[in-house]
Structure formats: C-alpha cells, structure tokens
Amino acid sequence: MSGFSADWLALREPFDRAARAATPDAEWLHARGRRAGSRGQALQVVDLGSGTGANLREIAPRLGGLQHWRLVDHDPQLLAALPDALAPWAAAHGLRLQQREALLVIEGGDGLRIEIERCEADLAHGLDTVPLEGVHLVTASALLDLVSAAWLDALVARCSEAGAAVWWALTVDDRITWTPWDPDDALVLAQFHAHQQRDKGFGPALGGAAAGRAADRLAAAGYRVTRTATDWQVDGSRGMADLAMLQAMVEGIAAAAAEQAPALAERARHWQARKLAQLDTLRLQVGHTDVQAWLP
C-alpha cells in the first residue's frame, strides 16, 4: 500500500491548511455534535489514512465539544509520532495534551475535549476490520485518488450502512496549472496523470476521477453532497516553503512521467531542468476537491 513520509506530510500541511480555509463549516455536523453532547456522548469520528493527524488538527477545532477520534493508518511509525506531531499545535492553541493509558487526550476552553485512539490497519485489504458502527463522521484526507472504484464503492456502502456523514478532503482532480507555461507542460502532465491511475495497493487508482465518483455514489445512496475546490496555490516568490514545495512537485512529476513513458524520459528531464531554473518566479495551482456529505 502506498504511503506518505512524515517529511512530505509536513511539507504539504501549510498548503493543505490554506486550501481548506475555503471549505465551509459543516452546520449539519455541528447539529449532530450538539445532539450527541446533549446526551452526554462524544461525537464519534474515524479518520482513514490519518498520517500525523493533520485532518484532526483541521476539523476538531471547528467542531468543538466532546469528540472521540479513531485515527487509522497502516504505518506504525506515523501513529507512534502522533504525540510529537500534536504537541506543538496544541501548545500554539492553548490546549492541553496528555496521554492517558492508550488514549491521547486534548482539552481546552469552551468544553473542548478530544479523545484520540490510534488504530493500525491495512486499509487496502482490511477496510472491513475498521469498526464504523455508531460513528457520526468518517473522514479522510488525500486518500480517495489513491483507491480503486471498487474500494470507494465499498466505503460508501459502509458509511451509508452506519448512517455516518463523510468529509473527504484534498482529493486531487487533475487540474494543474503552471505559470509561466512551458511547451511540454501538457505532455509531461498527461503522463503524470496516467501514472496516478496505477495501482497504489487498492487496485487501479481513480486518480483525478475520485472526487466525482465519490459525489455520484454518495448521492445515489441518499446523501446530500457538497463539493468545494480546495486548491493549492504555490508561489516561488513567497519564500522557502513555496520553493521547497515547487521543487518537490517538479521532481516528483518529472519522475512519474519518465516512469510512465520511458521513451519520453529525456524530454521530462529537460522539462524538469527548465522548471527548476525558474523556481523563484514559478507559480503552481494544484486542483483538489473536498467532498462533504450527510444523510438527511
């Protein structure tokens, strides 16, 4: 199963966070949380492919109140690193982070309490082993474009059966724009998009078609669905973080294109060299989509 390194997750998080500012607060989810709170219950959340907890850091403060998160990932090192990843964020927001037996607990003002359970699971082959009964929200970030159509359909069916809302964030949708334009942009990006549809461990990946398929399948299952563009905006003139992301994207796209079409490898290398030579004046927009859905 494909995974992400902690370094890559740290590199992308500022761009993820800026992009997700466009996603509206989910009043339907707040209402569900208030109903659970009125019964003295925690809002139950499962985060699939949780990595270092970036999705929790984005969503949990928006929800407030009492929450219980089950963070699911196949990488035990990422799960083990969660306390170190969450501690600076908690401190910056005036929150208290403690470890209580197997749980991590974050507490703050206005009744915020987040209980965090870590769960190691191979989602590619063990989705059925992740319990969703009684779960109010199933969330994931940068996951859907890696999975197959059959896997996504099974996830929608399980969420529908549980009556769970979904918030699937930052799914790439094949919109990539470079400024300034290069004559080989279209050629290289076509091979990159084809590479994204290779098997990432879940079967042939949906790549840029994932958000649309998710929205269609959720609607067919009776969900109300909203889609929000959550695009990365990367600008080499802004400083080191953008320059590092631009370099990583240029090198990663060129390598994928060369692997997908070896006959074009030399052109991909020349394309990479031209892009790297202009990093401080280069701008990049990478299209992503957030899908939020709930059962009326």
Side-chain angles (χ1 to χ4, degrees):
M1 173 181 167
S2 291
F4 297 124
S5 71
D7 288 343
W8 168 247
L9 294 174
L11 178 64
R12 66 174 290 163
E13 185 165 356
F15 302 95
D16 289 345
R17 188 166 56 247
R20 296 184 70 178
T23 307
D25 279 341
E27 177 53 36
W28 46 270
L29 192 54
H30 284 290
R32 187 168 289 196
R34 288 193 294 269
R35 287 196 297 272
S38 68
R39 297 191 292 268
Q41 300 172 342
L43 188 73
Q44 300 291 323
V45 184
V46 169
D47 186 16
L48 301 175
S50 58
T52 57
N55 219 17
L56 181 149
R57 293 192 288 276
E58 173 67 28
I59 296 175
R62 297 193 188 199
L63 298 177
L66 182 61
Q67 306 170 41
H68 182 100
W69 284 67
R70 183 180 299 118
L71 301 189
V72 183
D73 204 282
H74 78 291
D75 188 336
Q77 293 183 331
L78 291 178
L79 292 173
L82 275 168
D84 290 337
L86 293 172
W89 167 79
H93 290 80
L95 305 173
R96 300 181 300 278
L97 171 64
Q98 297 178 303
Q99 180 145 3
R100 299 180 183 174
E101 297 180 352
L103 291 179
L104 299 172
V105 179
I106 297 173
E107 294 178 304
D110 299 323
L112 177 65
R113 178 184 168 90
I114 308 165
E115 297 177 346
I116 303 167
E117 172 189 354
R118 289 172 280 184
C119 176
E120 183 182 342
D122 179 358
L123 293 174
H125 304 102
L127 178 61
D128 289 345
T129 67
V130 179
L132 297 183
E133 295 77 11
V135 169
H136 301 107
L137 173 66
V138 177
T139 186
S141 178
L143 175 66
L144 295 194
D145 44 273
L146 303 177
V147 309
S148 67
W151 193 96
L152 177 57
D153 292 352
L155 175 61
V156 170
R158 289 210 62 205
C159 292
S160 176
E161 181 181 356
V166 306
W167 188 339
W168 297 332
L170 295 164
T171 299
V172 297
D173 56 20
D174 282 351
R175 293 178 297 112
I176 297 180
T177 304
W178 297 96
T179 307
W181 171 83
D182 183 275
D184 278 342
D185 280 351
L187 175 73
V188 171
L189 289 176
Q191 301 308 318
F192 172 68
H193 293 321
H195 191 278
Q196 286 190 303
Q197 296 176 348
R198 290 186 173 194
D199 189 340
K200 305 299 191 296
F202 298 84
L206 284 164
R213 186 180 182 94
D216 290 345
R217 291 299 185 268
L218 288 163
Y223 278 81
R224 287 179 155 177
V225 183
T226 65
R227 297 171 63 176
T228 306
T230 48
D231 297 354
W232 285 355
Q233 304 289 345
V234 193
D235 185 343
S237 68
R238 286 195 301 215
M240 294 304 297
D242 290 70
L243 289 169
M245 174 56 82
L246 285 170
Q247 181 175 342
M249 290 296 294
V250 168
E251 292 175 350
I253 288 173
E259 184 177 355
Q260 182 67 23
L264 299 175
E266 185 174 357
R267 288 183 71 175
R269 285 194 293 271
H270 288 306
W271 175 88
Q272 173 180 309
R274 292 193 298 272
K275 291 292 188 190
L276 293 178
Q278 58 183 185
L279 279 188
D280 57 352
T281 60
L282 192 62
R283 297 195 305 276
L284 170 65
Q285 178 174 329
V286 183
H288 293 85
T289 300
D290 271 28
V291 176
Q292 296 173 313
W294 64 100
L295 290 164

